[in-house]
Amino acid sequence: MQMNTIKLRRRSDGRLTLMPADESNGATATPVKVVRCFPWSLPTRYISILDDKNKELFLLENLEALEDKVSRELLINEISERTYLPQIQKIDAIEDEIDLFKWRVQTKSGERAFFTRRREIPREVAGGQVVLKDISGDRYVIESIDALDEKSRNWLWLYLD
Amino acid sequence: MTEKNNLLEKLFFQPSKIPDAVAEALAQKLPEDAVSIFAFCDLNEQRQFTENWLIATDHHLVFAKVIDGEATNGAHISVPAVELTEIPFGRIRTLELLEGFTLNRLDVIGEEENLLLSVFFTRRQIRAIGNVRFVVEQKCNPKTDAPTNGTQHDVEKPEEKYRESVLQAIREAKSTVITRQQNVFARLMSYLGPHKKATIAGFAASIFLTILGLLPPYITRVLVDDVLQPAETGKLADPSFWIWVIIGSLALVWTGSVLMNFLRLRLMSFVGERIATQLRDELYQHLQKLSLNFYHQRSTGSIISRVTSDTDRLWDFITFGIIEFIISLLTLIGVAIALFLQDVSLASLVVIPLPLMLYLFYRHSSRMQGMFLRIWRKWSALTAVLSDVIPGVRVVKAFAQEDHEIERFSGRNKAVREEAFRIHRTWTRFWPSMVMLMHLCSMIVWAIGAPRVLEFVQTGGQSGMPLGVFIAFSGYMWMFWGPLQHIGMMTRTFNRAITSASRVFEILDTTPTIVTKKDAVKLSRLQGKIKFRDVTFSYDGIRNVLKTVSFDVEPGEMIGLVGPSGSGKSTLVNLICRFYDVAEGSITVDGTDVRELDLHSLRKQIGVVLQEPYLFHGTIAENIAYGQPEATLDNIIEASRAANAHEFICSFPDAYDSVVGERGLTLSGGERQRISIARAILNKPRLLILDEATSSVDTETEKKIQEAMQRLVAGRTTFAIAHRLSTLSSANRLFVMENGKLVEQGTHQQLLEKEEGVYAKLHKTQAELQALIAV
């Protein structure tokens, strides 16, 4: 089966499944997981499709090249859910709490408070985004530091860059 | 207690229990059901933060959606509407968790492969959700995991479980969850108690020092106004005598203040050092008492820094911080009083800019603090390159990446320089401007004071200001700045000390979970009869790592423990050592429950050989005699021979006197292993635990270790964990663990005969692997 002709569909229980190339011989759909190989540097390239045992079924080199439109949309949906990051729009405060920093922020998804480790260095990814990881493993993104207001930038100056 | 319960709200702005509205709706809809466990769902389908709940009751899985209710009928109280979705356990087939970066989803899938419910939440809730999922799965399939005593697996105190599961991340990352500043400070001060005399003397010296410091300008004034001027007009008899009196008293003042300064520094630095030593000792003693689970939660570095740098910071605070604060405050008050005594109107003029100056010092101190924070970050980035690259220098050279590494270092080096420049720019600008301001204040005093002195001279003392007063005034003025600066920096000094103190106290306040009971039984000689009765154990109170494990082991028996990793083998042996206490059931050693035994006497008779043996810094002989410091050299050599270690030890130039451990001789894995076996042999343990003792060595070495172990095992009750089944050939019986349960037990032969048995399969795979290698 050609890589760009694979078909993905959502099963009744909500799982994303890979449709068999030829349904006539009784083959059934396989539930799959979707992983981006380069989530930060190349978000729409090299999409790995794995089965439940983490065995790779396909490595899709380019999401855009996928022929089936429904599959493409399903994939984009699945990826966007897995990689959803609350976008920080405003930083109300960063407090120094001994071994941690406590952040109080306004995100696109609402208000949030979280803690980061003092030694955790935020990663800057391609495109100038800054990704923060809190102590529970939740990640938050600052799309562009320059787009923040001055107060937020001052907090970052103190604790981040 | 309430503070502890509200932590979630304080830290994360997250409800610490199910809101009343949800509880009421639940009670209305499912009056028969009690809440078993619950979790918070902080995201919704639209990926917005919300406050929804996933609740497992006795018979249902309930999703509670909280919709912020508008104030109705003009009333000010908003009543949130609650929308409940309840699913009876019978309809649930499975629960599936899909993890993402931040958004995670739990799908509840029904009997007909249909999606019953999807809930969304961040990773913060994943533990709590996992607990709900576990409980629901238990209730849906009661047969797969037979609960103890036939009762349902009920969670005690669901609210506490929920809170703990969310707070866990903080506990792992941070020293203290709660800090009460005042208490910490009072407690730190209480350490001064035993050194009352020295402290009081130190404080008294500081007060005297302050007073003496205030005298010289006053003496100058007396010299000018009461000696020189009267002498000029001839009103004073014998002026040269008075001059010597003044010089004498000045000499006295200076000598006195040097003495007082010496006293306070000497006394307080000794007191500070005594307290720091005491804290370090207390900390270390307490650390030795603490149970293993404390160490699992913290990094070694954070524990070490509390014993070293935090206590050092407290020394600094006790020796200098407090006293300097007091001296500064007293000086400030003293100078103000002195100024007002000289001249009220001029004094008020001088005091007015004080708050401004204080503010400037304060602002400067906090700005510098911010910049220090930044340069510290840049520094650690620079040192990170070093500690990253230097150990990997072989790789750098092999791939010819020297230039790339030089560039990386120099980039970060430049960043440090930029920050340093910023700091230097700030302070070099700040200090001259402060001095300018001080001069300005003096100029005001001159501008107003000098004409008045002139007036005094011209009116022959009728009005105006005497020259001496003016000179004293100028002198006092300059005494303001030092204390102002200290007080401006005080918040920072206090904060640092409180932080360090709370980090230290946090360890002291942690109570060991495993302790010897008061009327504990002392084991004089352990026979080695081990009995497990329905032992259930869990590290987190939810997932059981051991499930109703029962067995009997006779004295002298060797038991081989096999099973996949994570099946509970290591946990089982940890329980025999009583590193943890069982949740249910009991473990008895020689007929006595381990919880009734004296911990020391129990562990002293257990020998443990681990996969990665730990050698302390010291000679090989010292390491072998670690458990028996009084062992004779004959004993040590004998033990080494038995461990097949004697020969390789003798091949080192320093033989038994070779220094090993950190900064010592490097030994291979097999050599370390044999030294640790010698250590165990010398200890003459009655019970032996071998935790994958041979898994990381080559075959030749394994043979030697095997031989050594044969000697070690003889006549002792032994538990040996191994992946390679061949290692366990001499075991009397094998226990096969799977998923926390003891699934098979018997001799090698007996287990092989069970064709579909776990052990038989394991054996077959390993034999195939062997054959593969042979070809």
Side-chain angles (χ1 to χ4, degrees), chain A residues 82 99 113 138-139 157 161, chain B residues 101-102 123-124 374 503:
Chain A
R82 292 287 83 75
D99 296 328
D138 285 321
R139 302 186 205 201
W157 182 85
D161 85 288
Chain B
F101 279 160
T102 301
R123 286 189 172 265
R124 185 180 297 170
R374 273 177 74 86
R503 281 160 57 100

Side-chain angles (χ1 to χ4, degrees), chain B residues 328-365:
Chain B
S328 301
L329 208 66
L330 286 177
T331 310
L332 217 57
I333 296 168
V335 169
I337 291 173
L339 287 183
F340 276 100
L341 284 180
Q342 311 289 349
D343 187 293
V344 177
S345 56
L346 199 54
S348 344
L349 206 68
V350 173
V351 172
I352 290 169
L354 279 193
L356 172 74
M357 306 283 272
L358 198 60
Y359 169 72
L360 289 177
F361 278 121
Y362 170 77
R363 211 189 56 175
H364 175 68
S365 148

Side-chain angles (χ1 to χ4, degrees), chain B residues 6 17 59 70 121 140 147 173 183 211 227 251 284 291 299 304 325 333 355 388 401 418 440 448 532 544 651 728 733:
Chain B
N6 288 332
K17 60 178 198 296
H59 307 288
E70 295 298 311
F121 43 89
C140 293
N183 293 2
I211 295 170
V227 179
Y284 195 67
S291 316
S299 69
I304 292 175
F325 177 67
I333 296 168
D388 189 34
Q401 288 298 306
E418 286 314 309
L440 195 72
I448 293 168
F532 268 53
N544 291 335
S651 71
L728 300 173
R733 272 192 296 161

